[in-house]
Amino acid sequence: MDVDETSKPNEEKLLLVMLVGAPGSGKSTFCEEVMRSSTRPWVRVCQDIIKNGKAGNKAQCLSSAAEALKDGKNVFIDRCNLDREQRSGFTELGGPQIDVHAIVLDLPAKLCISRTVKRSGHEGNLQGGKAAAVVNRMLQKKELPTLSDGFNRITFCQTESDVKVAIDTYSALGPLDNLPYGCFGQKSKEAKVQVDIMKFFKKAEAPVVAESTENCSRNFTSQNNEMMDPCNKDIEIFSSNSDKANLEPMNVETISEGSTVSHGDNAFMGDVPTLAFPSISTSDFQFDHEKAAEIIVEKVAEFSNKLVNVRFVLVDLSRGSKILSLVKAKAAKKHLDPRKFFTHVGDITCLRSKGGLHCAVIANAANWRLKPGGGGVNAAIFKAAGPALESATKERAELLLPGNAVAVPLPSSSPLFTREGVTHVIHVLGPNMNPQRPDCLNNDYNKGCKILREAYTSLFETFASIVRTGTEQKSKRDADHGSEKSKKYKGSQDDVELNCTGTKVVNIDSSNKKSDGSLNKAWGSWAQALHQIAMHPEKHKDELLEISEDVVVLNDLYPKAKKHVLVLARTKGLDCLADVQNDHLHLLRRMHDVGLKWAEKFLHENASLVFRLGYHSAPSMRQLHLHVISQDFDSKHLKNKKHWNSFNTDFFRDSVAVIDEVSNYGKAILRDDDKLLSMELRCHRCRSAHPNIPRLKSHISSCKASFPTFLLQNGRLVRTQGEVNISS
C-alpha cells in the first residue's frame, strides 16, 4: 500500500569523514574496520586507486565523493590530508543534510615509520626504506585542522587505543544517530610536528602519550535516537560568546589509570573544563519535573553566555529519564549550543571509565548535613569517593542551607580522583517537597523555584571559581614571574579563594619593577578585566556607576555584602597596592573621597548600613581598586573562610591607614600572609568564633555588639554619624 509522505521516517544525515594522518597511521584500516561492521552505507574514496585502480588526483577524489553523497552514501576520504590546501574543497561538500568530520590519526611518528617500512603490497607502493623519508617530509608540513576550516566535528587520536574507540564510535552509528559537534581529544594546539623524525633516526625518545584507561562503551538514548559520544574525553570548544572574565582554555595532560596528580598542577585534566551535574531536587525531593527542567535550561543558558571554553553535562542514570527528555526538548527550543551543554545517560561516578566522558568537576545533590547515605546520587558519590571525600567535606563545611553550594577538592587518595580524574565535588542543596525530609516547602513552588534557581546559580558560580583558579595556576606555572612576590598570588576573581604565602611585610625591590613602575606579576587573562575597564571605560558605560578622568566606579561582579562597589584608579602601572608610592598620594585621597561619596549615597538610602573602605594586600584582579563594602556581609557570594578573612583580617588594609602609611613611609605596609586567610572564622563585631560560614552568617545577622575599638578609630567605619573626609 502507498505510504503517506508525512509518515516517512526522518532522512539520514550523511557523513563525509576525512582521514588526516601520515602514511602508516592506519587510515585505510580505519575505513575498512568501520565499513565491515557499520549498518550505514559507506564509500571509501582513496587517491591511490581512484583512477581504475591506479593513483589519481584530488579533483577525481572530490568528484567521486560528491557523486557518492548524491547517491545517499556516507564517504571516507582516505588520503593524507595533512595541510589545509589538501583538505580544501572537501569541506565545501557539507550542507544541511551532510556533516563533515575529520579523524586526525596523530600517532607517534616512530610507529608510522615502523609500519610503512615493514608493509608490502601497499596500494600506493609506499613501503620499504624510502618510506621513512616520505613520512618525515610530510609531517614537516602538517597543519592540524580546526573547526573554523569548515568541519562540524574533529576527533584527534594520539594512541592506538584512541583509534579503537573512534572506530567503535563510527561503526555503531545507526542511520539516525548523530555525534555532538566540537573538537575532541586534542592535546596541543601549537604542535605542528609531533616528533622530529631526524632526531628519531638518532635514537631520540619519542614523547610518551597517556593511554586511555579503558575502551569506551557505546551509549545511546533510545528515545531521541541520539548517540552519546564515547570519545569526548577532551573537547576544545570554539565559541563566539564573550566572557566577562575572559576565561582561557586550559591545556593540561590526561592522567593514566592509577596515577596521581596534585590539584595545584592539574586543576583540570582535559582541554575543556567540564561540570557533570545531576538534576537537583527532582527525585527524592519530589520537585515538579517540568518546573525543574525550565530552571535548568534557564540557568545553563545564562552561564553558557558568561563562560567561554567550558561545558555542562546533565547526567541521569535512567535511560528513560523524564527530566533528561524535558531538558533536551527545552534546550533545543532555546538553541543552546550542543557543544557546551548536552545530556548523558550513565553513572555520574563512572563517567570516564564507562562512558569515555572526562569531567574534572562533578556535582552532588547533597543532604543538608553533608553526610553519606540517603540513597541516590549522594550515596553513590560518597561511596565512590571513599572516606577521603567525607573528611575533606568536614574541613569545608558541616551543613548546607537550601540554595547553596560548597566545593570540596578531592584528595589524590580518593578513588574518584585516581580512577575518574575528578578533582572537585561540588555539594549543592535544592528545595524539598518531600514531607518525609527536612525543610519541606509544602508545595510552595514560588519559594521552591526561587531556591532552585539559587542552587543552580551557586553551583555554576562555584564551578566558574574552580575554573578561574585552575586557569591562573597554569598561567603562573608557564610564566617566569621574575620576583618572589609574584609567586605569592594565586589568581582568581574576588569571589574565588585567595592563596598567599609568606608571613612578612612585603618590600618593593626596584629590581622587581617593570619599566612603567608596576610590580612584576603574571596576571591571567581573566584577571585583566578591571584593567581593561579602567583603561577603556567608554567601552563599558553600561557597567559603570561613575566615570572621571582619574577613577571609575562599578559594582563588584560578585558582591560580598548588600552594597559592594569598587573604585578603580585609571593610572597606568598601578596594578595593585604594592605599586603605590608617595607620588600617588593625591590619587589615594581622591579614591577615598569618591568611595566616601558612594557610601554616603547608600547611607541616604538605608541609614542602618555601615561601610568600610580598603584594599586587599594581594588582590586577585589587576588594577589598583578600593573596596567600598557594607558590613552586613549579607551575600550569597560570600561562601568560604578565605572570602570572609580577606575582608576581616589584616589582609584588608583600611584606606585611611594606607594613606597615612604612604604619607609617612612612601609605601603601604602589606600583610601578605596565608595564615591570615586561613584563620578561624570570627564575628567582626563581637569576635566570637564559629565553625563554618552558615553558622557565622546566622550569627552576624542578629549580632548587635559594638564594633572593635580599632575600627571605631580614625574613621575606618563610615556610618550615618561620623563620616570622615581626609582629602584636605
Side-chain angles (χ1 to χ4, degrees), residues 131 164 371 388 415 531 650 673:
K164 177 63 166 61
K371 296 287 187 181
H531 175 74
D650 284 342
D673 183 355

Side-chain angles (χ1 to χ4, degrees), residues 598-612:
W598 280 94
E600 291 165 2
K601 178 181 183 299
F602 296 140
L603 286 169
H604 181 73
E605 298 169 356
N606 184 352
S608 68
L609 295 176
V610 178
F611 284 89
R612 194 175 175 191

Side-chain angles (χ1 to χ4, degrees), residues 505-516:
V505 173
V506 175
N507 294 314
I508 306 174
D509 190 327
S510 61
S511 65
N512 292 333
K513 290 301 212 61
K514 295 181 288 188
S515 59
D516 62 2

Side-chain angles (χ1 to χ4, degrees), residues 127-144:
Q127 56 200 32
K130 64 180 181 180
V134 174
V135 173
N136 177 36
R137 184 175 66 251
M138 296 182 75
L139 284 177
Q140 295 293 334
K141 299 179 180 180
K142 181 177 70 174
E143 296 176 290
L144 296 179

Side-chain angles (χ1 to χ4, degrees), residues 272-284:
V272 173
T274 303
L275 169 68
F277 65 97
S279 55
I280 308 297
S281 300
T282 56
S283 178
D284 193 28

